[in-house]
Structure formats: structure tokens, C-alpha cells
Amino acid sequence: MRGTLIVCAEVAELWREAARRIVAAIHQHSEERFTLALSGGSTPRPLYELLASEEWRGRIPWTKLHLFWSDERLVPLDHPESNYRMAREALLRHVPVPAENIHSVPVHLAIEEAAQQYEREIRTFFRVRRGPPAFDLILLGLGADGHTASLFPGSPALAELQRWVAPVRSAKAMPRVTLTVPVLNQARRLFFLAVGEEKAAALEQASTGRDDGCPAARVAPRKGELIWLVDRAAASRLTRVRVEG
Ligand code: 6PG
């Protein structure tokens, strides 16, 4: 398995371990800004709530953080399906991240314009001319079909190697924009979060690194740290993993 696999028996311990690693990454970071791309979906909500809790929020220099999203649904920011709304309810409204440090996706734009505008915002922020930007930490979830962010099996966005933000059009799901594989693989750190039996097959496939239709298997940071933070149920099909350390 590429990267480091952390399997926790209790989901509550999984979130404490994830929080510990996030806090450590921020404190080890020498630059004045720490760029964190948040995952959407439902999995990370308890982690965001933990980071916002009395016990943890005092451990993070929130004014140092710049928050982005790994992907977003093109719905209003107060829509129940909005990844921004979930993060705002679970985390943002409880911690002092300056408003100008919150880089939400311009969901009011049409899908192509939203992707282009978000990429422009990332280019302006990171001030990089060539090559994808290196986020200090990207959080990703895992779909039962092996998708991550909004990179779905067989989607043009998954195959996109030039753009940093791609539009995701689907007859089945709501329109989205997503960070692309080159950006994910430029991250300094990348944490996958997976909980539950329904993610076991996808995690097993992703762990092989075999790129046979499993988008998460394409995520392999070139130089960055890759950590899989999972519970026992999600890890239940990882039979051939070499335990290190
Ligand atoms: C999204 C997420 C997506 C999510 C997976 C897992 O916008 O839906 O970015 O990639 O992480 O679909 O979703 P759950 O965490 O809800 O299982």
C-alpha cells in the first residue's frame, strides 16, 4: 500500500488521530500561511466538529490557515448538499479563520466559469506560474466506487492533466467542480479518510495503486506524505498490507 495506513478500532479514535496529525502538520509548518483543502461528503464532519471543539480549537493558529475545497457541488452555499455549508456548520462558524482566508468555490457561476474562476483564485493565491500548486494538506474522502473529490471513474475530469480545477458534468449527480489529479499529487500532505464497510472494496482497490478504473488509486503524491486514516470496517479487505513500524 502506498503511504501510511492508520487503522483505528474506534471511529472516535480515528478522528483524534486525524486531528493530532493535522495540528502537528500546522505546527511543523514554518511558513506564515498553511493551505488546507477540505474534503466534502459526510465522512469528515465529525473531524471538523472535533477540530472546532473546546478541547482542540485552541491548538490551531486559525489566522494562519487558508481554507479551500477539494471539490464542491454547484449549489448555493446554504444548500443542504453544499460542502461549504457542511464545513461552515461543523467548523467555520466556531473558529476564528478570517473571512478573507476562506476560499470557497464561486458556486453562483455557470460550471465552466466556476472552474476557471476557482483556478484563477488558486493561481493568484499560490503565485505559481508553472506546475500545480503544492497545498500543505489536502483532505480527501473515498466513494464506494473509488471516486475521490469529484473525480469519478471514467470522467473527463479524472483524465484532466493540465487544468487544476475541472468541471464535472453528470447526468446522475449535481454539477460540481474538483481539484484535478495533478494538484492532488503535488500536495505536501494528503490524508484519505474512510469509514465503514461500504468503503472496504474501494479502499482495497485504491491500496493496490493499480489504476484500473479506481480514481483514488491515481492519488500518489510525488513527494508528499500520503496517510490513509480508516476504521476497521473500511480496512476489512486489506489482507495483504505490510504493517510497518
Ligand atoms: C463530495 C466529496 C466526495 C466524498 C465521497 C465520500 O463532494 O461528495 O468530495 O468525494 O468524499 O463521495 O462521501 P461520504 O463521505 O459521504 O461517504
Side-chain angles (χ1 to χ4, degrees):
M1 179 169 211
R2 290 160 298 113
T4 302
L5 174 69
I6 308 282
V7 183
C8 291
E10 303 298 330
V11 178
E13 176 50 28
L14 177 63
W15 301 134
R16 282 193 294 275
E17 179 63 24
R20 274 193 290 272
R21 288 171 180 268
I22 291 170
V23 169
I26 295 168
H27 285 282
Q28 285 157 14
H29 190 69
S30 56
E31 294 156 41
E32 81 280 0
R33 305 186 309 184
F34 186 91
T35 51
L36 168 59
L38 296 174
S39 171
S42 57
T43 298
R45 187 177 187 122
L47 171 57
Y48 299 165
E49 289 168 345
L50 183 64
L51 292 173
S53 68
E54 280 287 332
E55 181 195 357
W56 282 87
R57 64 168 169 261
R59 307 184 196 186
I60 294 178
W62 295 102
T63 56
K64 180 175 176 180
L65 267 59
H66 279 265
L67 301 179
F68 297 78
W69 274 260
S70 307
D71 67 323
E72 181 58 286
R73 297 87 178 272
L74 293 190
V75 292
L77 294 180
D78 60 356
H79 188 282
E81 292 293 319
S82 165
N83 287 337
Y84 169 87
R85 173 176 162 169
M86 184 273 277
R88 172 164 167 67
E89 286 176 350
L91 177 63
L92 304 183
R93 58 199 288 224
H94 307 288
V95 297
V97 177
E100 62 272 20
N101 291 21
I102 297 174
H103 306 269
S104 57
V105 173
V107 295
H108 59 286
L109 298 176
I111 186 169
E112 181 57 37
E113 286 72 21
Q116 290 178 19
Q117 176 55 35
Y118 204 47
E119 179 160 330
R120 275 195 293 274
E121 175 156 0
I122 292 172
R123 283 183 183 278
T124 303
F125 180 86
F126 281 90
R127 295 193 295 272
V128 287
R129 297 201 181 292
R130 294 172 48 75
F135 279 89
D136 295 309
L137 174 58
I138 296 179
L139 300 179
L140 289 177
L142 180 65
D145 62 355
H147 81 262
T148 190
S150 286
L151 301 169
F152 293 93
S155 78
L158 178 61
E160 176 58 59
L161 298 180
Q162 302 309 316
R163 299 176 72 168
W164 298 354
V165 180
V168 180
R169 298 173 177 84
S170 157
K172 289 181 287 185
M174 60 189 66
R176 301 152 172 249
V177 297
T178 184
L179 295 182
T180 57
V181 170
V183 175
L184 301 184
N185 287 344
Q186 193 71 7
R188 293 193 171 114
R189 295 167 198 83
L190 196 144
F191 295 177
F192 263 110
L193 310 171
V195 168
E197 182 73 36
E198 68 276 14
K199 306 297 174 78
L203 185 60
E204 183 195 28
Q205 214 183 355
S207 71
T208 65
R210 264 199 332 271
D211 179 7
D212 48 4
C214 173
R218 292 197 187 179
V219 177
R222 289 181 331 107
K223 290 184 283 187
E225 177 186 43
L226 172 60
I227 299 184
W228 306 79
L229 288 149
V230 306
D231 73 338
R232 275 212 181 127
S236 58
R237 293 178 58 163
L238 294 182
T239 51
R240 297 180 308 285
V241 173
R242 181 166 43 88
V243 180
E244 294 172 0

